[in-house]
């Protein structure tokens, strides 16, 4: 639970870095990708548009404070660029549609 000033307690989600060795056995790193976590700052790694859109829509549903926190306090792999800047410079992220059959899971 977390408390925003002047609001009732609410539940939240915290996503943290992990290690590839902690992936569940049924999950695997796709062929050609040598790791999930731990990419160097200069790797050029960018978020998957469809998943980033899903995360933004989820943060929106949690309210303005959650959305602003997500966009301003989450950074690209370069550890410098906030998501808000990335999305402002790449607005097409919000136009990417989920694969067929996953629309409801990825918020349409």
């Amino acid at each position: 639970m977390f408390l925003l000033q002047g609001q009732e307690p609410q539940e939240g989600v915290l996503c943290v870095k992990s290690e590839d060795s902690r992936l569940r056995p049924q999950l695997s790193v796709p062929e050609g990708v040598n790791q999930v976590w731990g990419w160097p700052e200069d790797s050029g790694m960018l978020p998957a548009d469809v998943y980033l859109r899903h995360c933004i829509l989820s943060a929106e549903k949690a309210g303005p404070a959650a959305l602003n926190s997500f966009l301003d306090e989450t950074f690209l792999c370069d550890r410098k660029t906030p998501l808000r800047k990335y999305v402002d410079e790449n607005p097409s992220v919000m136009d990417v549609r989920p694969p067929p059959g996953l629309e409801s899971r990825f918020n349409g």
Side-chain angles (χ1 to χ4, degrees):
M1 301 288 264
F2 65 93
L3 187 61
L4 295 176
Q5 197 169 34
Q7 293 188 4
E8 294 295 315
Q10 300 176 26
E11 290 188 26
V13 175
L14 177 65
C15 299
V16 297
K17 179 181 172 182
S18 188
E19 299 173 354
D20 291 346
S21 63
R22 297 195 49 127
L23 287 173
R24 291 186 222 132
Q26 69 268 31
L27 300 176
S28 62
V29 178
E31 188 174 327
V33 176
N34 57 359
Q35 60 192 29
V36 175
W37 289 284
W39 289 87
E41 293 177 33
D42 61 354
S43 69
M45 176 64 74
L46 295 171
D49 289 351
V50 69
Y51 184 68
L52 177 56
R53 176 183 174 272
H54 166 68
C55 293
I56 291 170
L57 293 175
S58 296
E60 280 180 346
K61 288 181 179 180
L67 177 62
N68 288 328
S69 173
F70 179 67
L71 291 173
D72 296 331
E73 299 169 16
T74 304
F75 296 85
L76 297 183
C77 188
D78 67 7
R79 294 148 177 93
K80 296 174 186 147
T81 308
L83 279 183
R84 184 181 303 278
K85 181 175 189 235
Y86 177 76
V87 173
D88 286 348
E89 293 174 357
N90 300 278
S92 62
V93 164
M94 297 307 292
D95 297 330
V96 175
R97 305 303 298 170
L102 294 178
E103 293 91 350
S104 63
R105 180 176 176 185
F106 278 82
N107 298 319

